[in-house]
Amino acid sequence: MTGIDRGTGRAGLVAVIGTGTMGQGIAQVALAAGHPVRLYDAAPGRAAQAAGAIAARLGRLVAKGALPAADRDAALGRLAPVADLADLADAELAVEAILEELGAKQQLFTALESVVSDGCLLATNTSSLSVTAVAGVLRRPGRLIGLHFFNPAPLMPLVEVVRGAATDQAAADRAYATVAAWGKTPVRCADSPGFIVNRIARPFYAEAFRAYEEHGADPATLDAVLRESGGFRMGPFELTDLIGQDVNESVTRSVWEALFHDPKFTPSLAQRRLVASGRLGRKTGHGWFDHTEGAGRPGPHTAGPCEPPGKVTLHGDLGPAAELVGLMAEADIPVTREPAGSHLSLPDGTRLSLTDGTTATCDPFAASVRFDLALDYRTAGRVALAPSPAVPEASLRSAIGLFQALGKRVSVVQDIPGMIVARTVAMLVDFAEDAVARGVADPEDIDTAMLTGVNYPRGPLAWGRALGARWVRDTLRNLHEACPTGRYAPSQALIRRAAAEEKLL
């Protein structure tokens, strides 16, 4: 019936150790797949409480019409809380979901190994610890695998199947088949800090927080630009308030420390201050935003109505922003063409160009406005603009009016390198390319993980192909020149990808 019945024609017994939110969710997933499930928790009475909570959730599904009552009753008939680890002796799969402490997990698995049969597959749901280290104390480390479920486990499709340094291929294959049989979307990855999602997603948070620290814009505006221009479902400020600032910062710090303080993964000082002050987000009533009852959410900065220019001149092409030319034609804005360059110019000569990691202020043509990257300029609801100090107010209003005429809300932000969406996406692409080169996961699994695990609008590797590796590389090189700490230095994998792309031209 599943990947762990090994031809017996029945669903094998699944043991879940640790009965918090994740443990309960994993147990519910296994029950839904037809397994008998035993719950164990070291705290007396906790397993029984967890079984009651699972029963209540299944009852709510029945009330909503999402689950037949007979299926609920059958599932609960297969669910048993137990008070002794020895009661898990006949498990075919044992999944650990206890606290994120290496010593505690090692102690548990050492005890569990003396209880279960040699054929039992052992799995840790750790999100931040090394699977290799967890297995390092075991007599048979080859049968321990990482199964990283995402919260809430019954709803989130992604499961990262993490192979430690000592994990047997047969154990990894068996775990993968089991997760797939449960109706989840498994992806294979090596035991590397952050696995796939928590490694590659770091720039989504870090670059927005850095833009805030640089006074590029306020949190509400940064969130709005990433949502409405970048296509992300939530902005990083609202999302970390939902997750919990302490939880998000802990993952960031864990990956950074595991990678020997690599500057690309440096945590945010602004987020550290939030955590230190106890402003952890919704659960404490305040994080980046005020979540107390009756508190209003600040809106993003949005420019008022402005008149568009009577015409614009297109110099060369706009690269990833080429779709703007067609939108201007549809808006009946006359466009004349000049062969050289990669920008637009207003009638007074002010230049409008897609951000490339440099600032408008550093443009040798004094009057310059940068605009940010969009996932899709046709459907984007907002575009960010960053003017140099030399841009006349009338010219800035004309630039705002141009994008408003294309149906976009406009946020004017400070002139910081790479703006908001562009620096975020460039870093995501680079992290993904680097992960492939280091053997963390295959390209398809990386894009699948980011699409299903954190709901990105496009897989980072697919995004990189759409933008072109050369554009991503050059944007990061310009960011690195502006901030030469190593944070933005393009990876060797991206450099090779860009060089291969150039050879095809």
Side-chain angles (χ1 to χ4, degrees), residues 295-495:
R297 177 68 64 86
H301 170 79
T302 304
C306 296
E307 287 294 321
K311 64 176 182 178
V312 296
T313 301
L314 171 63
H315 299 261
D317 69 78
L318 298 180
E323 194 169 21
L324 289 173
V325 180
L327 293 178
M328 287 186 286
E330 293 171 18
D332 294 325
I333 296 175
V335 179
T336 59
R337 296 175 181 266
E338 294 290 341
S342 57
H343 63 278
L344 301 167
S345 62
L346 301 177
D348 69 350
T350 298
R351 295 161 58 103
L352 276 66
S353 55
L354 173 64
T355 181
D356 60 357
T358 63
T359 61
T361 301
C362 292
D363 196 319
F365 297 88
S368 181
V369 178
R370 295 281 193 263
F371 57 87
D372 207 352
L373 183 68
L375 172 70
D376 182 339
Y377 283 100
R378 179 170 293 279
T379 60
R382 184 179 298 269
V383 172
L385 302 182
S388 72
V391 173
E393 180 65 24
S395 298
L396 177 58
R397 290 182 61 82
S398 186
I400 293 169
L402 172 62
F403 283 94
Q404 288 176 338
L406 306 184
K408 317 302 177 189
R409 292 175 290 277
V410 176
S411 290
V412 178
V413 302
Q414 293 300 311
D415 186 26
I416 57 174
M419 298 187 69
I420 303 164
V421 180
R423 70 197 284 177
T424 299
V425 171
M427 289 288 277
L428 289 172
V429 172
D430 189 54
F431 273 39
E433 289 283 0
D434 184 61
V436 172
R438 293 179 185 274
V440 174
D442 292 337
E444 182 179 349
D445 278 346
I446 285 177
D447 274 1
T448 296
M450 303 313 290
L451 287 166
T452 60
V454 279
N455 294 310
Y456 280 8
R458 181 180 284 170
L461 294 168
W463 217 332
R465 290 192 296 272
L467 293 169
R470 291 186 306 151
W471 183 88
V472 178
R473 177 202 62 192
D474 293 347
T475 297
L476 289 175
R477 281 179 171 171
N478 289 333
L479 279 161
H480 177 59
E481 184 175 346
C483 179
T485 63
R487 180 186 184 98
Y488 299 107
S491 67
Q492 290 302 307
L494 179 64
I495 291 171

Side-chain angles (χ1 to χ4, degrees), residues 189-200:
C189 62
D191 183 24
S192 180
F195 310 143
I196 300 175
V197 171
N198 281 332
R199 179 190 185 108
I200 295 174

Side-chain angles (χ1 to χ4, degrees), residues 43-249:
R46 191 72 59 80
Q49 292 174 6
I54 292 170
R57 277 199 296 275
L58 294 180
R60 288 193 290 272
L61 291 176
V62 171
K64 294 177 181 177
L67 180 70
D71 288 356
R72 184 261 324 265
D73 295 342
L76 293 179
R78 296 191 301 272
L79 177 64
V82 299
D84 196 308
L85 206 62
D87 293 326
L88 308 180
D90 51 349
E92 294 190 35
L93 168 65
V95 184
E96 166 274 316
I98 66 172
L99 72 167
E100 284 287 272
E101 289 184 5
L102 178 60
K105 292 182 188 292
Q106 289 176 327
Q107 185 177 7
L108 169 67
F109 279 113
T110 299
L112 194 60
E113 192 175 36
S114 67
V115 170
V116 300
S117 70
D118 286 350
C120 179
L121 184 65
L122 304 180
T124 174
N125 184 56
T126 183
S127 62
S128 60
L129 299 177
S130 166
V131 173
T132 301
V134 173
V137 298
L138 297 184
R139 174 174 52 86
R140 297 186 61 226
R143 60 168 163 171
L144 189 136
I145 193 81
L147 288 182
H148 180 212
F149 288 77
F150 288 74
N151 193 30
L155 298 180
M156 294 295 288
L158 182 70
V159 179
E160 293 177 322
V161 180
V162 187
R163 186 178 179 184
T167 303
D168 295 334
Q169 183 63 53
D173 291 343
R174 187 174 157 202
Y176 185 97
T178 298
V179 170
W182 289 0
K184 295 297 183 181
T185 303
V187 292
R188 299 179 189 268
C189 62
D191 183 24
S192 180
F195 310 143
I196 300 175
V197 171
N198 281 332
R199 179 190 185 108
I200 295 174
R202 294 338 314 148
F204 176 69
Y205 310 105
E207 291 311 310
F209 297 163
R210 188 174 180 91
Y212 168 76
E213 292 170 350
E214 293 170 357
H215 292 270
D218 60 278
T221 300
L222 291 164
D223 273 356
V225 171
L226 283 161
R227 282 195 316 267
E228 300 173 41
S229 187
F232 294 94
R233 185 168 298 184
M234 294 181 73
F237 295 90
E238 59 186 341
L239 180 55
T240 52
D241 265 3
L242 176 64
I243 295 169
Q245 299 302 330
D246 53 337
V247 174
N248 182 262
E249 202 248 1

Side-chain angles (χ1 to χ4, degrees), residues 250-272:
S250 175
V251 172
T252 299
R253 185 169 295 275
S254 173
V255 174
W256 175 61
E257 290 174 350
L259 291 170
F260 306 105
H261 295 186
D262 186 329
K264 290 178 177 287
F265 295 86
T266 301
S268 162
L269 179 59
Q271 188 180 40
R272 174 94 291 267

Side-chain angles (χ1 to χ4, degrees), residues 27 31 35-39 50-52 54-55 74-81:
L31 285 171
H35 293 267
V37 174
R38 290 185 191 159
L39 291 174
I54 292 170
L76 293 179
R78 296 191 301 272
L79 177 64

